[in-house]
């Protein structure tokens, strides 16, 4: 494992208060936040949304099967922990292309037969859906929730994200769900800035407008309150908090509210019967 090359998963984990990171990861985050300070709020708000949406799916919607696409490094209140807190019989498949995520995930889940992690590229979605571990845990004849949280911006138009989503939609049973979030902005200049800055850091990235996200998800039924800034999706001041923002990053807290740009936008959608 290279520790001198930044890992987006480790950098993202640092913004969430995680400890599994190295100086190269922290330097990557420092440089990014100088130009895009709102990224700190977006990452943390997205993680809080994960808790609320999985809680709703397990406790209210009756979902017992979850696939977490582009799951990232394990942290507090991971999908399986939230789902099994409200529905102990829940089963979860984690998917990520980063070998670091695979190593950490397998260590965390070594004694949990109801949860697995596979290394795969979410652009090759057919391979994920047909993977032996997916087939072991997921029954596609029953409703399943597939989570694309904070990964939509990593699927630029050239990767045909609509095809990826449609493949999943076609496979899941009616009454299944798609949870989707990604970085958005109403300002074309800000979208261009985000795209250029993050591409310069070596990330595959496309910030979209809210209308473009809505088009990607056409044909699904949004669950109230619909597609919104994730901070406004059923906010709950009493939900478990994230670990504190690292002291070095505290000057960037609240930047998204000042800039009013670059939010994580999305929600939960249901496949109609």
């Amino acid at each position: 494992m290279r520790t001198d090359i930044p890992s987006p998963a480790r950098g993202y984990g640092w913004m969430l208060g995680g400890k599994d990171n190295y100086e190269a990861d922290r330097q990557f985050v420092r440089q990014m936040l100088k130009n895009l300070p709102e990224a700190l709020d977006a990452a943390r708000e997205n993680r809080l949304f994960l808790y609320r949406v999985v809680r709703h799916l397990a406790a209210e919607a009756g979902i017992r099967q979850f696939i977490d696409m582009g799951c990232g490094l394990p942290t507090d209140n991971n999908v399986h922990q939230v789902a099994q807190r409200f529905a102990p019989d829940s089963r979860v498949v984690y998917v990520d292309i980063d070998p670091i995520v695979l190593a950490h995930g397998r260590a965390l889940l070594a004694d949990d037969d109801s949860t697995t992690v596979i290394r795969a590229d979410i652009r090759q979605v057919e391979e994920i859906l047909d993977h032996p571990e997916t087939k072991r845990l997921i029954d596609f004849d029953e409703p399943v929730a597939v989570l694309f949280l904070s990964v939509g911006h990593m699927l630029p138009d050239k990767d045909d994200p609509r095809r990826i989503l449609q493949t999943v939609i076609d496979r899941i049973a009616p009454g299944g769900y798609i949870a989707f979030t990604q970085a958005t902005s109403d300002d074309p200049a800000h979208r261009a800035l985000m795209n250029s800055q993050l591409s310069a850091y070596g990330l595959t990235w496309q910030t979209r407008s809210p209308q473009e996200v809505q088009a990607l998800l056409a044909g699904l039924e949004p669950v109230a309150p619909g597609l919104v800034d994730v901070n406004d999706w059923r906010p709950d001041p009493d939900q478990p908090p994230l670990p504190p923002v690292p002291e070095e990053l505290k000057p960037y807290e609240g930047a998204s509210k000042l800039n009013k740009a670059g939010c994580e936008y999305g929600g939960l959608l249901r496949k109609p019967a």
Side-chain angles (χ1 to χ4, degrees), residues 19-167:
K19 308 299 183 185
D20 295 313
N21 53 74
Y22 299 90
E23 180 55 29
D25 310 311
R26 296 188 289 272
Q27 183 60 28
F28 162 73
V29 171
R30 292 184 196 109
Q31 288 298 118
M32 177 181 66
L33 293 180
K34 284 180 181 178
N35 295 307
L36 300 167
E38 65 272 13
L40 175 65
D41 290 342
R44 294 178 67 84
E45 289 172 3
N46 186 76
R47 191 70 194 187
L48 291 168
F49 168 78
L50 180 152
Y51 178 92
R52 298 194 303 275
V53 78
V54 173
R55 178 182 63 186
H56 168 79
L57 287 163
E60 299 178 43
I63 295 298
R64 298 295 180 266
Q65 308 182 103
F66 299 81
I67 304 175
D68 187 0
M69 300 284 195
C71 57
L73 278 175
T75 181
D76 294 341
N77 287 311
N78 301 289
V79 171
H80 74 286
Q81 292 163 327
V82 179
Q84 291 173 1
R85 183 175 308 159
F86 297 98
D89 56 339
S90 295
R91 306 183 302 281
V92 179
V93 174
Y94 290 106
V95 182
D96 206 286
I97 197 172
D98 192 327
I100 295 166
V101 172
L102 186 71
H104 281 268
R106 284 183 172 169
L108 175 69
L109 304 171
D111 299 322
D112 187 349
D113 288 339
S114 65
T115 308
T116 191
V117 56
I118 59 178
R119 186 183 180 196
D121 186 333
I122 61 175
R123 293 172 296 182
Q124 308 301 323
V125 67
E126 296 89 348
E127 295 180 11
I128 295 168
L129 300 178
D130 292 329
H131 193 283
E133 282 292 277
T134 304
K135 290 184 173 181
R136 179 175 71 85
L137 290 177
I138 304 298
D139 177 0
F140 285 104
D141 291 329
E142 297 295 328
V144 57
V146 185
L147 314 180
F148 291 88
L149 301 186
S150 203
V151 297
H153 41 247
M154 297 181 181
L155 295 170
D157 288 346
K158 66 182 179 64
D159 289 331
D160 197 358
R162 178 63 194 184
R163 176 196 63 82
I164 294 169
L165 288 164
Q166 191 62 53
T167 300

Side-chain angles (χ1 to χ4, degrees), residues 35-36 38 152-157 182-185 187-209 212 262:
N35 295 307
L36 300 167
E38 65 272 13
H153 41 247
M154 297 181 181
L155 295 170
D157 288 346
Q182 78 147 84
T184 61
S185 174
D187 181 354
H190 192 78
R191 293 199 297 272
L193 173 66
M194 291 183 72
N195 292 342
S196 63
Q197 292 284 350
L198 292 163
S199 296
Y201 298 136
L203 298 180
T204 301
W205 192 277
Q206 183 175 340
T207 303
R208 294 184 169 91
S209 69
E212 289 172 323

Side-chain angles (χ1 to χ4, degrees), residues 246-263:
E247 196 67 32
E248 184 179 348
L249 302 183
K250 285 188 175 178
Y252 299 106
E253 276 192 284
S256 62
K257 296 175 179 62
L258 293 173
N259 291 359
K260 297 182 180 178
C263 76

